[in-house]
Structures are given as structure tokens and as C-alpha cells.
Amino acid sequence: MSEHNDTVTARRRLATAGVAWLVAAALLRTTLLAPEACPAFSADDARASAVAAVEWIAVNQGDDGRYLYLYNRETGATPDAYNLVRHAGTTMAVYQLVAAGETQYLEAGDRATEYMLARMVPTGEDAAGWSEPGRDLQLGAAALMTISLLIRRDATGDPKYDTELRELGRFMVGQQRPDGVMLERWLRATEAPNPEQRSRYATGEALWAFAYLHDTFPGEDWDDAAWRTLDYLSLRRDDEERLFPNPWPDQWAAYSLGQMAAWDLEPHQIEYARSLAAQFGVQVRWDSQRTGGLATLTHPPEPRGAGFGTVLEGLGRIGVLASTDERLADIDAALAERLVCGAARLADAQITADEVVGADPALEIGAWFLNDETRMDDQQHAASGMLFAEAVLRGAEK
Amino acid sequence: MTGFAAGLVILVSAWNPAVVAERSAATTARWLGLAAAAVAAVTIALFTDPILSGLDVSIPTFRTAAGAVVALTGARWLAGSPPRPDEGSATLLGFIDGATPAVVAAAMAVTAVDGWWMTVVTTAIALLATLGLQRVDAAPGSVAWLRRLIAGVAVAAGVALIYAGIRAV
């Protein structure tokens, strides 16, 4: 500033501008504009990661078909907690790997399937769900069991569970309201669905199961149920159930949209897919900026295998839709890029033989740990996501 | 947040012709400096792809960051004191007026999605608007109000750009 009035000199303005540029550049580079790190990654790397994850699931499975649910490598604890929906979902991931050619895991998947079959409960005429004795039935458990059996059917060509598939499908239809809302629980006490309880996960799981049933058994009207619930998801669910962010990044909805890629989706359903894709894409971009130092502090939180795996699943399945439907062709390449980047980062965090810290390597190799704890769905979702990344990378190789 | 109207709003508000006009009257030297700043911003924007590649940053991430810069700049114009008159090399001062982080970030953000021609056209409009404001015989205080109005638009455009960056794959 000049000495005699409120005028600033050119030198002062130049210095101020220089400081503004430096401060802006430094702040941005450590926050919003931190570099996005995507390690080199191949289709073989993705397959190896998926195999290691499912190997963890299989070697730690009990003789009764139950998986190891939780393991803390610091304390060595393996709590007796269990989750039936995750049991069915993990079986789905095992069968996905079988379908990809890793048939050595068919036995593990079948053992887990027997666990579910032994707990099936009739809920009406030719309808059945499954649960532990005395416990209410969950829509999500039935839906993911359905999907597991359908993937097994596709992988082996074996139709031996077709009766159970239709029973499960009819159970799910019984949980559906006419407006497409899916009810999460079937109560043993009333022998009817609980009209009050919904689930942010089970709705998309049921939708995928309906769509997959229709593709497997065309002409049986499973698509009617699928369309109803897809419209509920794409038009009303997030508002009615007050989910945040909106749209809620629902990888089960993404699986469904991928399954329905050839169904000639309506414009609002395509827009829903586009919005979902953005939710998944931004999560990979954000995580890829966690490159250490200040950038890690400014890009929390450290994701767990399950959470980040669902992001990869979402990207992979909407990628299937985008590669089929021209209306999403503009995001096809970006979806593939984010999927591969995310998979590479996730694979980097997977425990290898060199990184084992506990007494039993089988409890650690192939797993993802957060705060020294791993849960079976960390491996489940990550393995599924890796398979989608592998498919993209194999396509790129061609 | 794409297309001509969006590009125009982003670039003109990031430039804020009223800030420049309020600070100084039109002189050929000052205007040359402004034109040089516009050319510099457009030139940098032409290299948006290799720059982002070198920075290892995707387009949506960059647009989010650019939106933050534009919004914060607008907020400073809204909340800060009015621009003070300056003295010295008019060409240099004109260049400083135009070559700001907000203008360069906005130019790159627009180019990344809409192409270089959009940036050229909208930057030229911002430049001409500045010249027009410097030459017009405005009522006292009216340019200050216009500065605040455009600052508000800059905040809104920046927030919209952040949102667009987040809602892209």
C-alpha cells in the first residue's frame, strides 16, 4: 500500500497474488486435488485376490457349513456371533468364483447350501424361507439364498434345486406389497410378514432375485415383481425410508440393474443407474486420494473390505448395464476405470503370507482387516468385486 | 453443470468484471493486461488434459476442486472489503486482475467437459463485459452492487460445480 492513501502498489498486488496462488495450490493439493493413486493391476492379479479371499472363506468353514464370522488377529478371538443374511451372501460369492472356473470351491458352497436347506421353513402353499429354529425369517436371507442357488445352477447346469428356488421366490412375493415395497421379516408368531419392517439391503437383494428368477424361468411372471420393486427403488425408496445419501449407494440395486440390462429399462430407471454409478465412482476417487501423510488425514475414513467391496460390485454391475445400454455409454469407460482403480487399491490391502502377524496364517491370508478385525463379508464383497474387475481387465486385454 | 449457459456463468462469475471495473478505469494498458491474462487462462486451459494427467487427477475431482476455488473466491468478494485502487504498471495490474486461481480453475473446469472453444468464447465475453463496465458511466455504488451480485453467483456456481463433480462417475 502506498504511504499516503488507500492505494495499493503493483508490487504489493503482485506479492498478494503470488501468495494467493501458492496458498491455493498447497491447500488444494493436500485436500480436494490430492493425486488419485491407482496401482498397476492385471486381470491375473484380480483373480488371485478373489481366489485368496474365497480360500480364506473355505479353509475357515466349519464341517456344519457355517463360515468363520469374525476374527480378531490381535486378541485371537473368534466370537460366536453369526449373521444368516451374510451366510447366504458369502455363499453367493463362493459360487461366483465357481462360475468363474474355480470349481474347487463348489464343495464349500454346497456345504453352506446344505446349512440353509436344512433350515427351510414353509410359509404358505409352495413357499418357504429359511432361518435358525425359533427365529423369524428374513427376506435378505431368502433372496441371497435364491441368488446363490441360481448362480450355482448357471455354473454347474444342475437344476436339482429348482423346487426350492420357486419356493423361495414365492416366499419373497409374499413379502412384497402391491406398491413394490419389500417387507424384511416374516414372523413365526403371526405366520405373516411384519408390515412395519423394511431393510435398506434386502429390498435390492429381493429385486435381484426376482430378476434372476425371471431370466432363469421365463414365463413365470417373476418379472412383474421385479418391475414393481425396481420402480419403488428408483422413484421413492430413498425418500420414504429417509436414506442418505440420496440415492443410497445400493450395490444390490446395481446387481439388479445389471441383471435387467436387456430388459429395455425405462428412462427414470436409467437415470437411477446413472446416479448410483456416481455414488460408487466418487467413493473410489475419494479413497484413491488417501495416499499417505496429510492426504490420508484429509480423506477419511479407511474403508473396510466389505464396504469397499460393495463399491466395486456396484461399479461392476452398472458397468454391465452401461456396456449394454447406449444411454449410459458416456460413463462406460469411467466405470471401468474406477472399478480397476478401486480393485487395485483393495488388493493392496489384502493380507499376504508375508504380512501374517498371528499364530495361524489360515486365519489371515486372503483377508482384509480393519482395526485388527476381519468379518466374513469383508472377503465376500471384495471377492465379488475382484471378479468384476477381472472381467473388465480381460475385456481390455482383448 | 455443462453447456454454454453453465460455462458462461462459471467463467464470468469467476472473473467478476465488476471487481475489475470498480478498481480501475479503462486504459489501453490495463486492458492489454486483462487480455493477456485471458489469453494465459485459455492457453493453460488448452492443456487441461495433460495437466490433469500429470497431476494424477480425474476430471470430476478437478471440477470439485475448481468449484471450491470459485465458491471461496465469491465468498471473499461478498464478505471482504471492496477492491482498492492501485498504482503502477497498468499492464501488470490488468494481468493480475485476470490471472487469478478462480479464473484459471474455472477455465480448466469448463474446458475439461465442454471443450476449448467454450472457454475461448466465455472468457472473451467476460473480458468484453469488463471493458463495457469500465467504460459505462454507472451511477455511484451500482458497480459495487453488481460486484456483490456476481459474487453471489460465483458462490452458487462454485457450489454447483462441486455438486457436479461429486455426482459424476
Side-chain angles (χ1 to χ4, degrees):
Chain A
M1 192 187 303
S2 66
E3 292 174 0
H4 58 281
N5 59 23
D6 202 27
T7 303
V8 286
T9 63
R11 177 178 289 187
R12 175 75 180 236
R13 284 205 62 203
L14 189 61
T16 304
V19 169
W21 269 100
L22 283 175
V23 169
L27 275 178
L28 286 173
R29 195 58 173 159
T30 51
T31 56
L32 295 173
L33 219 49
E36 296 170 43
C38 301
F41 201 57
S42 70
D44 289 342
D45 294 335
R47 172 59 69 97
S49 174
V51 167
V54 172
E55 180 71 14
W56 183 96
I57 292 169
V59 300
N60 293 303
Q61 186 183 30
D63 291 337
D64 62 353
R66 269 170 60 128
Y67 303 108
L68 174 62
Y69 185 64
L70 268 177
Y71 170 63
N72 186 304
R73 64 179 172 180
E74 189 184 42
T75 63
T78 54
D80 196 34
Y82 209 61
N83 181 304
L84 298 183
V85 179
R86 290 189 174 126
H87 175 94
T90 300
T91 306
M92 176 205 86
V94 172
Y95 282 141
Q96 281 177 322
L97 210 67
V98 172
E102 303 291 344
T103 53
Q104 68 272 27
Y105 298 114
L106 181 61
E107 187 188 336
D110 283 352
R111 222 181 308 152
T113 294
E114 289 300 326
Y115 184 87
M116 296 187 281
L117 291 169
R119 287 159 178 76
M120 286 191 76
V121 179
T123 58
E125 192 176 340
D126 297 326
W130 76 281
S131 186
E132 295 290 0
R135 287 178 54 185
D136 294 329
L137 277 58
Q138 289 178 271
L139 172 67
L144 291 177
M145 179 180 178
T146 305
I147 292 159
S148 298
L149 294 181
L150 287 166
I151 294 172
R152 185 191 185 283
R153 189 182 194 277
D154 281 348
T156 63
D158 180 358
K160 70 178 177 181
Y161 296 125
D162 284 1
T163 300
E164 288 82 359
L165 279 168
R166 291 186 171 96
E167 288 174 348
L168 288 162
R170 281 188 281 271
F171 165 72
M172 291 187 290
V173 169
Q175 298 295 112
Q176 187 183 47
R177 294 194 335 198
D179 60 359
V181 168
M182 298 300 306
L183 302 172
E184 159 63 358
R185 297 267 171 172
W186 186 90
L187 307 177
R188 288 183 190 260
T190 60
E191 296 193 343
N194 177 352
E196 304 300 326
Q197 194 169 351
R198 306 182 196 180
S199 157
R200 66 176 63 195
Y201 306 105
T203 303
E205 291 161 353
L207 170 58
W208 184 21
F210 286 140
Y212 206 159
L213 280 169
H214 173 72
D215 284 348
T216 306
F217 306 121
E220 297 185 10
D221 294 337
W222 301 111
D223 55 333
D224 290 345
W227 285 120
R228 274 193 294 275
T229 294
L230 179 56
D231 268 348
Y232 171 63
L233 274 183
S234 56
L235 294 172
R236 307 192 314 275
R237 190 272 296 266
D238 296 308
D239 291 331
E240 277 191 23
E241 300 185 20
R242 296 180 182 177
L243 299 182
F244 181 85
N246 189 338
W248 187 67
D250 184 348
Q251 96 278 10
W252 300 115
Y255 267 112
S256 308
L257 290 160
Q259 188 72 41
M260 300 166 82
W263 288 30
D264 195 16
L265 297 173
E266 297 286 330
H268 66 271
Q269 294 156 351
I270 291 293
E271 280 314 301
Y272 177 58
R274 182 184 292 278
S275 298
L276 275 181
Q279 296 286 19
F280 297 125
V282 73
Q283 288 188 60
V284 170
R285 287 191 277 122
W286 181 259
D287 182 74
S288 70
Q289 292 182 301
R290 301 178 70 254
T291 52
L294 201 51
T296 294
L297 288 177
T298 57
H299 289 79
E302 182 183 352
R304 70 178 304 152
F308 207 64
T310 64
V311 170
L312 303 186
E313 289 175 286
L315 288 165
R317 288 301 285 197
I318 293 183
V320 170
L321 176 61
S323 63
T324 307
D325 196 308
E326 283 188 1
R327 291 170 290 179
L328 292 174
D330 59 307
I331 60 170
D332 192 17
L335 282 165
E337 196 177 327
R338 304 291 172 256
L339 173 58
V340 172
C341 179
R345 292 185 60 80
L346 191 58
D348 260 7
Q350 189 175 25
I351 299 298
T352 63
D354 299 337
E355 297 165 321
V356 170
V357 297
D360 187 352
L363 289 166
E364 295 184 45
I365 296 172
W368 283 266
F369 286 84
L370 183 65
N371 299 325
D372 287 317
E373 182 184 275
T374 189
R375 204 173 58 200
M376 67 180 181
D377 57 320
D378 288 321
Q379 284 62 264
Q380 170 209 332
H381 292 294
S384 300
M386 289 297 167
L387 290 179
F388 294 126
E390 182 195 352
V392 164
L393 288 161
R394 296 254 183 252
E397 284 173 0
K398 290 174 189 170
Chain B
M1 202 64 184
T2 60
F4 180 76
L8 188 64
V9 167
I10 293 167
L11 256 164
V12 171
S13 65
W15 182 283
N16 200 340
V19 170
V20 182
E22 199 175 2
R23 193 194 300 275
S24 70
T27 65
T28 302
R30 188 99 185 190
W31 200 80
L32 277 175
L34 280 170
V39 169
V42 168
T43 304
I44 291 171
L46 286 176
F47 294 97
T48 296
D49 280 349
I51 289 171
L52 296 193
S53 184
L55 290 171
D56 283 327
V57 169
S58 62
I59 289 172
T61 295
F62 181 79
R63 281 167 67 83
T64 302
V69 172
V70 173
L72 288 173
T73 303
R76 189 175 64 83
W77 285 327
L78 270 178
S81 52
R84 289 182 296 184
D86 47 26
E87 63 184 14
S89 166
T91 306
L92 175 62
L93 289 167
F95 186 82
I96 295 170
D97 283 339
T100 65
V103 168
V104 173
M108 290 176 69
V110 169
T111 303
V113 172
D114 291 312
W116 63 269
W117 67 270
M118 180 80 76
T119 305
V120 170
V121 171
T122 51
T123 306
I125 290 172
L127 192 59
L128 291 172
T130 307
L131 186 64
L133 276 176
Q134 285 175 318
R135 300 213 159 189
V136 75
D137 191 14
S142 59
V143 177
W145 278 107
L146 186 60
R147 164 175 52 85
R148 292 190 195 99
L149 177 68
I150 297 175
V153 173
V155 172
V159 170
L161 205 50
I162 292 170
Y163 184 76
I166 290 172
R167 296 303 293 263
V169 178

